[in-house]
Amino acid sequence: MKKRKARGQVRRFLRRSTACLLAMVGIGMAAVTAGLPQSIGWLGGIQAAMAAQPENRDGPVPLWQRLLLGDSALLAQWAAGTAGGEGAQEETPPEEVGEEHDLEAVTPDKIQEKTISGSGSGYVNAQGISLFNRTEKTVDLESVAQGGSSLAFQSAQAGPQVLIMHTHGTESYARDGTEPYTETGAARTTDTSYNIIRVGDEIARIFEEMGLNVIHDKELYDYPSYDGAYERSRAGVEAYLAQYPTIQKVLDVHRDALVGSDGTIYKPMIQIDGVKMAQVMLLVGSDDAGASFPDWTEHLALAMEIQQEMNSLWPGLARPITLRTARFNQQLTKGSLLVEVGGHGNSLEEALAGARLFARSAAKVLLERVQ
């Protein structure tokens, strides 16, 4: 516990330092693009905000976090001017396809890159976390963070700690000249070298390299029938939990499907160290649909820890967490989460690159919970 607290303090220091650096970079760029007098005016505004900060120190989002999240009006003016001019609009949550079998064929002319940051309307930002709340619940992220997660592991020698599985195992990515797999549906294939199971292999490999004991369930629960996949995957998870009671975390790994009203296919993308890769989203279920799920906030707290770790190591890698009304079988263990690695517009290589960094971030958080 003391070690986790100390590491948390280090991460908070680094985030504060990063925020200050970003603020100074913004001012410096403003001096170049908008002229020195205007940038001096922004500097005065930041100084005034910092002077007023003690009156708001108990508020949900301190100034340094607002600077880091891009939620500060002091920097938003410069950001809007550089990102899209005077007519730039706030980011809104992308549209998700309701049913996988509604997908249309993916062609290169329909695909558009999009870095999803959660900086606009429709998102909740606090504690260095961005959340897209699709439920009727009011979520206090600060309280959730304080409540935390009770997830704990036995040692790897005691038995498997993590189960990686795929309710929709046939989900796949955009085909190109290097990935000419045979589809069994739009952006779907039973070929495990090209579908989401290949991504699960990569996550499992990183977890194991870092010292976690992992089982990877490669069953295709959505084939030949997509309907009823969650009922079948639940039975599969329950069987693994009965056989290996040391499993405390279940990762249900998917890829997303984001389609605009005009048919544009958005692929969530970030470039890190010159490498383009898919962004990764954590999805948390709840009891908002009426099913019993009393500890769903613990799952959200764990997702928040992983998102913070991802974005402290690789800023922008994590999409905002999504909170949904259904449980998605997450009630089965304290550590169950759903992971969306990219979307059906991404390539497999982009998804694998994002999955590697996600796995390293998540493993660091999980290893701190080994007793």
Side-chain angles (χ1 to χ4, degrees), residues 96-342:
E96 296 179 323
V97 175
E99 296 292 342
E100 187 74 14
H101 49 244
D102 291 338
L103 286 179
E104 298 181 356
V106 179
T107 56
D109 60 296
K110 296 180 180 179
I111 299 174
Q112 180 176 320
E113 295 181 7
K114 183 178 180 65
T115 300
I116 303 172
S117 65
S119 60
S121 59
Y123 296 95
V124 179
N125 291 310
Q127 295 295 308
I129 294 298
S130 184
L131 174 74
F132 178 27
N133 186 357
R134 298 185 64 179
T135 74
E136 297 298 319
K137 295 180 175 295
T138 299
V139 180
D140 184 338
L141 293 179
E142 187 171 6
S143 295
V144 172
Q146 290 175 350
S149 165
S150 61
L151 176 67
F153 293 114
Q154 298 181 47
S155 69
Q157 289 71 33
Q161 299 159 308
V162 179
L163 172 65
I164 297 172
M165 46 76 62
H166 312 270
T167 295
H168 298 147
T170 65
E171 291 178 338
S172 59
Y173 296 90
R175 294 184 295 175
D176 60 27
T178 62
E179 297 155 5
Y181 65 85
T182 300
E183 288 187 319
T184 53
R188 294 173 64 193
T189 183
T190 57
D191 188 338
T192 58
S193 295
Y194 293 99
N195 62 23
I196 194 65
I197 289 176
R198 173 67 184 88
V199 175
D201 282 337
E202 199 70 2
I203 295 173
R205 180 181 69 83
I206 298 295
F207 276 9
E208 289 169 348
E209 284 181 357
M210 295 185 68
L212 290 167
N213 192 333
V214 181
I215 290 178
H216 185 195
D217 176 12
K218 302 183 182 183
E219 182 72 23
L220 297 178
Y221 293 108
D222 63 338
Y223 187 84
S225 174
Y226 184 85
D227 295 335
Y230 275 100
E231 287 77 11
R232 291 188 291 274
S233 68
R234 174 177 177 171
V237 170
E238 288 175 334
Y240 274 107
L241 295 177
Q243 185 176 358
Y244 303 103
T246 52
I247 292 175
Q248 298 299 311
K249 181 166 187 61
V250 179
L251 281 182
D252 189 356
V253 182
H254 297 244
R255 62 103 180 98
D256 210 346
L258 305 174
V259 183
S261 58
D262 60 354
T264 299
I265 296 171
Y266 294 103
K267 63 172 179 176
M269 178 76 75
I270 189 73
Q271 184 166 305
I272 299 175
D273 295 332
V275 178
K276 287 187 174 183
M277 60 186 67
Q279 289 182 288
V280 179
M281 182 186 78
L282 298 173
L283 185 150
V284 180
S286 73
D287 57 5
D288 200 43
S292 177
F293 192 6
D295 60 354
W296 65 268
T297 57
E298 289 197 36
H299 297 248
L300 178 56
L302 179 63
M304 290 166 63
E305 282 190 48
I306 295 174
Q307 189 191 65
Q308 285 180 320
E309 189 69 39
M310 290 170 67
N311 280 339
S312 66
L313 294 172
W314 296 285
L317 174 63
R319 286 173 54 188
I321 297 167
T322 292
L323 182 66
R324 296 283 295 271
T325 61
R327 297 184 299 180
F328 299 97
N329 295 333
Q330 292 176 16
Q331 75 280 4
L332 298 178
T333 72
K334 290 284 188 180
S336 295
L337 292 173
L338 193 151
V339 184
E340 302 268 13
V341 182

Side-chain angles (χ1 to χ4, degrees), residues 12-29:
R12 286 192 292 273
F13 171 78
L14 291 175
R15 284 196 292 271
R16 286 178 170 90
S17 301
T18 302
C20 293
L21 177 60
L22 290 174
M24 295 309 297
V25 169
I27 294 166
M29 295 184 71

